[in-house]
Amino acid sequence: MNTILFAVAAYLIGSISFAVVVSRVYGLSDPRTYGSKNPGATNVLRSGNKKAAIATLVLDAAKGWFAVWLALRLADRYGITDAGIALVAIAVFLGHLYPVFFKFKGGKGVATALGVLLGLNVWLGVATAVTWLVVAYAFRYSSLAALIASVFAPFYYGLLFGVDEILFAVVAMSALLLMRHSKNIGNLLAGKESRIGSKAAGTAKPARKK
């Protein structure tokens, strides 16, 4: 029962779409209305507001980290097993992808997945983040960096901890990330994918009510 409660709480935490919240705070257009229409840090960056994009990245990662960190911290007290931790990891990630607070239309989950990995193990998160940074710097495609990092994440976990229940959660997140990037994969193959830092049309600030 405790495991189910932790998983539900994790899903609700994941359902907070910080791209939308931060954009509202900064007076920007809803990120679901321009660019890739993805409520994530990369699309918020297309608004031209770097501070909003950084805040979105940090907060989306933080919710993934917090849900897993809290479950690990309280695992012994409430009898949460490795299988329960795996369920919490998947739940917070699914919350971001399909947020109950935003009509189940969420982001692609890159930052939240990174937060989950950091919560599981700092070195696991760092290795995955470095992989993303190297690919992003070399090719200037956020989606390509995410795809490659997501493929390497289970490999890194296996090297650190071997095969266990949590590895299957990492594999599931990677598979979901690949699925959520299916359109990006098509754009990359067609040479139509937007590079990091490119500004999207229709990102003007919403008009203020008089």
Side-chain angles (χ1 to χ4, degrees):
M1 186 62 182
N2 287 335
T3 297
I4 298 299
L5 291 175
F6 270 80
V8 170
Y11 171 77
L12 294 176
I13 292 170
S15 289
I16 304 172
S17 183
F18 283 110
V20 178
V21 174
V22 169
S23 292
R24 288 176 182 174
V25 170
Y26 278 85
L28 303 172
S29 297
D30 190 319
R32 296 169 295 180
T33 64
Y34 63 82
S36 65
K37 295 181 171 57
N38 173 58
T42 300
N43 203 38
V44 172
L45 182 60
R46 294 188 177 103
S47 71
N49 192 315
K50 293 182 180 179
K51 290 183 179 179
I54 292 172
T56 299
L57 175 66
V58 171
L59 290 170
D60 275 348
K63 68 184 181 184
W65 170 84
F66 177 72
V68 173
W69 172 83
L70 187 64
L72 285 169
R73 187 175 179 83
L74 300 177
D76 290 339
R77 183 185 302 179
Y78 293 100
I80 308 299
T81 63
D82 280 355
I85 299 299
L87 184 59
V88 166
I90 288 293
V92 68
F93 185 67
L94 287 174
H96 181 81
L97 300 187
Y98 308 104
V100 67
F101 305 129
F102 296 89
K103 300 179 180 180
F104 303 100
K105 296 179 180 179
K108 295 175 181 176
V110 177
T112 302
L114 175 60
V116 168
L117 297 178
L118 286 168
L120 292 172
N121 180 268
V122 172
W123 293 114
L124 172 64
V126 168
T128 306
V130 168
T131 301
W132 188 95
L133 288 169
V134 169
V135 177
Y137 180 80
F139 298 99
R140 307 298 296 174
Y141 288 115
S142 174
S143 56
L144 179 62
L147 290 167
I148 293 177
S150 67
V151 169
F152 273 86
F155 173 71
Y156 294 145
Y157 185 92
L159 282 179
L160 288 169
F161 305 107
V163 178
D164 58 17
E165 294 95 333
I166 297 174
L167 173 60
F168 291 108
V170 176
V171 170
M173 285 195 301
S174 296
L176 285 166
L177 274 168
L178 292 173
M179 182 187 74
R180 297 287 282 189
H181 282 80
S182 59
K183 184 177 179 181
N184 301 92
I185 293 172
N187 287 340
L188 285 166
L189 293 174
K192 298 179 181 179
E193 183 72 349
S194 298
R195 292 181 182 273
I196 295 173
S198 61
K199 191 171 181 179
T203 58
K205 293 183 179 181
R208 296 184 180 275
K209 294 181 179 180
K210 295 182 179 181

